[in-house]
Amino acid sequence: LGDVYKRQELKTPIALIQGYAEGLQEGISDDPESRAFYCDVIVDEAKKMNRMVRKLLTLNHLEFGQDALTEEPFDICEMLTTLLNSSALEMQKKEIKVIKQYPASCMVIGDEFKIEEVCTNYISNAMNHVNGDMRICVTLEEQEDTVKITVANTGDPIPEDSLDKVWIKFYKVDKARTREYGGSGIGLSIVEATMKAHGKDYGVANVEGGVEFYFDVESADSESVQC
């Protein structure tokens, strides 16, 4: 199944780049605006292809154990706030309300760079699929020796037969909408590979009024850390 999606997703930007480049080569239009449009499409598709290739390389390294984990203590609340702040302008443009249900600080242990990628993918996914009340809620919950991070968004539920497939490379529940925001269908596969490398739980569930994604990370000190 993954190979089918991979062939389709790789073919699409290549076909567009080739088609528009050939159009320019053949002088399909002498209108400067049309030519500029053709060039914009080529550049945009090339950028998408570049992002897809970089994500595929990251995923391959994770899946084949070529990228060793560097597990150290870090403040996951500080990380979440930084990521949300960096997305604040886009959130405002889309009129998304962000609800932060986590403390000022909470120390965990893990590969900070890779966990940041997980958080980034979850937040981006929520931003791309939020609908209805236009709310995104980021929650932290301490559970014995782990900390659970949840990113939820209001909007349409994921079809039940797709819930266990969202982690598959290039799988897209709504292909038209994913194409609209330029998604590659690789982000959640990176999440899965990262959490498996950490040996921690992760998942997705339909909830009342929307969808939530979650993952666990080891608490730096389950006895003393107050989250």
Side-chain angles (χ1 to χ4, degrees):
L1 184 60
D3 288 339
V4 173
Y5 293 122
K6 178 162 60 177
R7 288 195 295 270
Q8 291 174 342
E9 291 307 313
L10 291 174
K11 282 182 178 179
T12 300
I14 291 174
L16 284 170
I17 291 170
Q18 181 178 348
Y20 279 86
E22 289 176 348
L24 286 173
Q25 190 177 49
E26 295 168 3
I28 196 168
S29 175
D30 293 328
D31 178 20
E33 290 187 4
S34 296
R35 289 165 59 187
F37 172 75
Y38 273 50
C39 289
D40 287 344
V41 171
I42 292 171
V43 171
D44 184 52
E45 293 301 321
K47 287 180 179 178
K48 289 178 183 177
M49 194 72 175
N50 183 45
R51 289 195 298 268
M52 186 185 302
V53 170
R54 284 190 283 111
K55 287 188 175 183
L56 275 173
L57 289 173
T58 297
L59 182 57
N60 285 340
H61 287 158
L62 286 166
E63 289 180 335
F64 291 99
Q66 297 172 342
D67 196 358
L69 296 181
T70 302
E71 298 189 76
E72 298 175 339
F74 66 93
D75 191 335
I76 196 164
C77 293
E78 181 180 345
M79 174 188 289
L80 290 170
T81 297
T82 298
L83 292 174
L84 290 172
N85 286 344
S86 67
S87 302
L89 184 59
E90 187 176 353
M91 297 267 201
Q92 291 173 6
K93 288 181 179 179
K94 294 184 176 182
E95 298 183 340
I96 299 172
K97 181 181 180 181
V98 180
I99 302 170
K100 303 175 184 177
Q101 295 183 332
Y102 58 84
S105 178
C106 184
M107 299 300 295
V108 298
I109 297 176
D111 189 309
E112 184 173 2
F113 177 78
K114 293 180 176 62
I115 295 298
E116 181 178 4
E117 183 75 6
V118 170
C119 294
T120 298
N121 284 325
Y122 273 0
I123 292 171
S124 297
N125 188 71
M127 290 173 61
N128 291 328
H129 292 90
V130 65
N131 210 330
D133 292 338
M134 300 301 289
R135 286 185 288 108
I136 291 177
C137 183
V138 181
T139 305
L140 182 150
E141 179 185 356
E142 189 177 16
Q143 300 179 329
E144 297 182 359
D145 59 347
T146 63
V147 171
K148 181 179 182 180
I149 304 297
T150 302
V151 179
N153 65 270
T154 59
D156 299 329
I158 297 174
E160 290 297 323
D161 60 354
S162 292
L163 277 172
D164 61 343
K165 298 176 184 175
V166 297
W167 315 102
I168 298 173
K169 284 192 294 259
F170 300 111
Y171 184 81
K172 298 173 182 178
V173 177
D174 186 340
K175 294 182 180 179
R177 187 169 182 181
T178 304
R179 186 68 188 169
E180 179 183 335
Y181 65 76
S184 64
I186 304 172
L188 293 179
S189 298
I190 291 176
V191 169
E192 180 180 55
T194 299
M195 299 322 302
K196 284 183 175 180
H198 279 81
K200 296 298 181 184
D201 193 25
Y202 65 97
V204 58
N206 288 321
V207 295
E208 185 176 355
V211 178
E212 68 175 27
F213 285 83
Y214 66 88
F215 72 92
D216 291 345
V217 63
E218 183 180 351
S219 173
D221 188 346
S222 60
E223 293 184 0
S224 62
V225 174
Q226 299 298 315
C227 294

